Amino acid sequence: MENTFGINIIPENDEQRINALRRYQILETPSEESFDDIARLATEIFGVPISLISLVDRDEVYFKANVGMDKAKRTSRGVSLCSLAVLNPETTVFTDPLNEPCLLTNPNVIGDFGLKFYAGAPITTHDGFRIGTLCIIDQVQRSFDEREDKILKRMAKVVMAEIEMRLSAIQEVKKQLEVNEEVEAMNEELNASNEELVRSKREIELLNQELTDINTTILETNEELSLANAAFKTSQEELILANAKLADSEELKDLAIEQAQLGLWYIDANTRDMISSPRLKDFFGYPHSANLTFEAAMEQVREDYREKVSEEVENAIRNHKPYNIEYPIISFSDKRLRWVKAMGRLNHEDKGRKSYLSGTVMDITEQKEDEQRKNDFISMVSHELKTPLTSMAGYVQLLERMLTASNNVAGVKILQRAANQTRKMNQMVDGFLNSKRAETGKIPLDLSSFDMADLLREAEMESMATISSHHVIFAPVEPTQVHADREKLGQVISNLLTNAVKYSPAGSTINVACIQEGLFAKVTVKDEGMGVTPFDQEKLFSRFHRIERKETENIKGFGIGLYLCAEIIRRHHGEIGVESGGVKGSVFHFTLPLRQIEL
């Protein structure tokens, strides 16, 4: 076995340690959701891209869970840092691997992978053998404090407990199979006995009346055997239920989630029975000793959100959709208003385990309060600016007419620029006010039937007058009748064009097109800009979201333009999105129904 560390990585008790590992029957087994969840939770808690649950065998290290390392299942023991971690009962931490003598020749540190941080807590059996690690890895240097050390150790204990429960489940299933085999053997014996009884009955019918009592006894015995068979069947069902309860047990996993300030819940998909963690009961204002039922939890959801939350739960169970929603609750004990974010998914029925919905709840009250303060401030400032801007626009128009009458060409041009800037400020203020309306779903629509080809021609003429830094090409548009708010769709197209100009290099080409796809009109704006990463694509149409990159440092904006575009298109029962490889170029698009529908 190759050893890249320059030190002995084989402990004296390695043979006993390997035997302890193999008794858990876990090496080279497929991925399991419970272990993958712990690894994913570790990456979220510690903010790292990679987390592994590793098992150190004689010559290789097997990955029971792998988040961030592609689909790797194993590696050589001589190159894995987890081989060092099992030598130490405490957490093994490398915050500067290039200055560690034992890592100077390790390919993970000096090679293309570029490991810059490693922390591995040993997974220790009840009899003291360190069989593997729960480790977190980063390709940038970072610190690791005592609190993080405690959390990682506790999560390693959760992994060990999960391994123990897994072994218990395997043993329980084995016992169940043995019982089934015994029951089948007894059934075979009973069938044989029944056949013998039939033959005996035929003989008894030919015998003397004196054998009647014997026949009666045989019938009674047969009834007792039937009762015994029913008892065996009941016992088998109890074993299945016990196995399902064992699979549903997540008490130790709750510990790690509590450290992350999350509430944990389980809802039976059939009965809606709910199990909740202590922290979840804290959120809803219930003592830890109380039984927080699903109905009681729904009663604490603020009334205007109650139906929506219930629909999301039912949709997750019926349609197997991810459960992800933000909503306000009112504490049962102190009536305190709290905002929470709930996430979950459906776990399907499997091998006797009942189907259930499970997930977490996070307190986002502070975040919501910050958003509300920001919204209130923006709304107040917008309303205060509206009146003086209106007056200013009137004064500018009056002066423009006066200077036009006096044939003052230079003064008229200056006032036209001032009017243009005033109009831009009015549009900005309207944007803030529309953002507030969008939040409450009250963006007004002035609907009419018109041809999208005409609207695109107007946008083309405006771009020719206002955009000189880029080549804007409008593709020919066939007559495309829609029933919509013409002015607001114009704002959407203008916003997409403005963004394409802002985020694309000068001199590049912007292509605009409108085609019919089935019962929808589809408008696309394609640029040659810096691209949108998958991370930003998920949040691009959220309010106040701005792309934070070096290329955007000098680009101004408040992050409400695309949010308003999305809300306008949503109000028209259309869809908006972006396609981008994340490096160069993006295609923004939105669709509108061609036929009139009730809005």
Side-chain angles (χ1 to χ4, degrees), residues 451-453 476-482 513-523 591-595:
D451 190 348
M452 285 294 294
V477 182
E478 296 293 329
T480 306
Q481 290 292 323
V482 297
C514 177
I515 61 174
Q516 293 187 24
E517 285 190 351
L519 298 177
F520 290 86
K522 182 176 183 180
V523 177
T591 61
L592 291 170
L594 292 175
R595 58 187 178 84

Side-chain angles (χ1 to χ4, degrees), residues 184-251:
E184 289 176 359
M186 294 187 69
N187 282 336
E188 290 177 0
E189 293 178 3
L190 288 173
N191 289 333
S193 297
N194 284 335
E195 291 175 359
E196 184 64 30
L197 287 173
V198 171
R199 287 193 297 271
S200 298
K201 185 177 181 181
R202 290 173 183 171
E203 295 175 1
I204 290 171
E205 289 174 351
L206 302 175
L207 294 177
N208 200 304
Q209 183 63 37
E210 296 175 352
L211 299 177
T212 302
D213 293 339
I214 298 175
N215 190 38
T216 302
T217 303
I218 291 173
L219 292 174
E220 292 174 352
T221 303
N222 193 33
E223 291 177 357
E224 291 175 357
L225 289 172
S226 297
L227 292 174
N229 191 33
F232 278 120
K233 185 177 180 181
T234 301
S235 176
Q236 184 179 4
E237 292 175 350
E238 291 175 352
L239 285 172
I240 291 173
L241 292 174
N243 189 39
K245 181 177 290 186
L246 178 63
D248 291 340
S249 176
E250 299 288 350
E251 292 183 2

